[in-house]
């Protein structure tokens, strides 16, 4: 694997190999320890779109592997703002770093960047496009809870049109057998056909209650404010769904509730200590999986 650009590049074997490696790194991530595998290597973390978890868990992953990190945050502080192309930035960064993580608002930006790079590139989110490291993180969370990625039913709730994490998870699950996706979103934010894969059985649901029925996993995404041109439309849709503790107690026994975070108002804080809520408790998976990806690309 030269770069880590798209979830659709990941076949079942690659996902399984990366999960195996991530499981090996899990204790190091959880116990906040350091290894020396990347001693003498440097990661450049270029985050031109807002990020908290993805950037800091990627940087943490490199540090835990024993490497070092340089970073650039915000397009307004970079030469992209002066008109430099992504490919030229990549050519320059390749002289500094051994691996580059990039997040940028334009769909396809990571691939464009990789064309100019002579070192491995990791896509940490290309606008409304893809988010393959998050898909691997979510796969690890599911794998650690269920011991498998086959024969699972996932209830996807929220902004199914714009949520790259939900798109990426479906793209990853298309490699596995017997998966079902139950969908609930406002009418204008429905899942597009390009994410309806052969091999996954889809059901459109009228509301949250119908959506979680029969699901193993509930995966919530906030309404993606940054993808809206019309703020009135966003304000009309932003409270489309809200997870309350009562809803979880009444309808979700035995299921897990996942969210890539940030959550805004759609998962109330009273849900955080519900037994199936894993969005905070499984955060070490993000570091472990990114350790696995960096290690696979660099060794
Ligand atoms: C997600 C993203 O940036 O797409 N966040 C993340 O990477 N953990 C989800 C989101 O912002 O809603």
């Amino acid at each position: 694997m030269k770069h880590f650009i798209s979830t659709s590049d990941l076949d079942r074997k690659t996902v399984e190999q990366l999960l195996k490696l991530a499981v090996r790194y899990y204790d190091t991530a959880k116990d906040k320890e350091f290894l020396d595998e990347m001693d003498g290597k440097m990661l450049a973390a270029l985050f031109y779109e807002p990020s908290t978890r993805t950037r800091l868990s990627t940087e943490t992953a490199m540090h835990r592997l024993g490497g070092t990190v340089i970073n650039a945050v915000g397009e307004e502080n970079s030469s992209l703002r002066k008109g430099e192309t992504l490919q030229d930035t990549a050519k320059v960064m390749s002289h500094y770093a051994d691996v580059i993580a990039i997040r940028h608002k334009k769909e396809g930006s990571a691939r464009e960047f990789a064309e100019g790079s002579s070192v491995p590139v990791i896509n940490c989110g290309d606008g409304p496009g893809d988010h393959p490291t998050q898909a691997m993180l979510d796969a690890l969370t599911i794998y650690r809870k269920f011991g498998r990625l086959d024969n699972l039913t996932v209830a996807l709730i929220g902004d199914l049109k714009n949520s790259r994490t939900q798109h990426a998870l479906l793209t990853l699950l298309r490699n596995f057998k017997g998966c079902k996706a139950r969908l609930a979103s406002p009418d204008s934010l429905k899942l597009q056909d390009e994410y309806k894969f052969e091999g996954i059985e889809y059901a459109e649901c009228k509301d949250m209650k119908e959506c979680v029925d029969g699901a193993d996993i509930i995966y919530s995404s906030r309404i993606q404010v940054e993808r809206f041109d019309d703020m009135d439309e966003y304000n009309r849709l932003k409270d489309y769904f809200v997870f309350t503790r009562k809803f979880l107690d009444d309808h979700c026994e035995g299921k897990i509730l996942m969210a890539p975070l940030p959550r805004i108002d759609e998962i109330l804080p009273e849900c955080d200590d519900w037994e199936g809520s894993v969005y905070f408790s499984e955060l070490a998976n993000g570091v472990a999986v990114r350790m696995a990806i960096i290690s696979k690309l660099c060794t």
Side-chain angles (χ1 to χ4, degrees), residues 1-5 10 14 17-18 120 293 296-298:
M1 197 192 305
K2 179 146 195 275
H3 302 293
F4 198 80
I5 301 293
L10 302 175
T14 309
Q17 278 174 351
L18 282 170
I293 293 164
K296 189 159 163 67
L297 289 171
C298 293

Side-chain angles (χ1 to χ4, degrees), residues 193-291:
D193 286 346
E194 65 184 293
Y195 298 108
K196 299 209 172 145
F197 299 105
E198 236 177 82
I200 299 182
E201 201 182 303
Y202 293 85
E204 298 278 352
C205 303
K206 66 175 187 309
D207 57 22
M208 277 170 83
K209 186 162 165 262
E210 185 184 322
C211 189
V212 301
D213 189 25
D216 304 297
I217 296 153
I218 306 163
Y219 192 112
S220 157
S221 79
R222 71 184 168 92
I223 308 295
Q224 307 275 300
V225 60
E226 64 276 44
R227 311 291 172 220
F228 281 75
D229 294 325
D230 176 356
M231 279 306 120
D232 291 341
E233 174 71 350
Y234 170 72
N235 286 323
R236 197 175 65 74
L237 298 174
K238 74 179 173 30
D239 299 322
Y240 162 78
F241 72 106
V242 178
F243 282 96
T244 62
R245 181 62 186 247
K246 182 167 177 3
F247 179 82
L248 295 175
D249 286 336
D250 290 353
H251 305 291
C252 303
E253 202 191 331
K255 308 176 195 308
I256 64 167
L257 174 60
M258 297 174 64
L261 301 175
R263 54 95 181 267
I264 310 303
D265 298 319
E266 72 286 357
I267 303 178
L268 298 184
E270 65 188 24
C271 298
D272 296 355
D273 61 0
W274 179 65
E275 60 180 1
S277 295
V278 299
Y279 41 89
F280 287 127
S281 63
E282 292 295 318
L283 284 171
N285 291 338
V287 176
V289 101
R290 290 174 176 116
M291 289 171 78

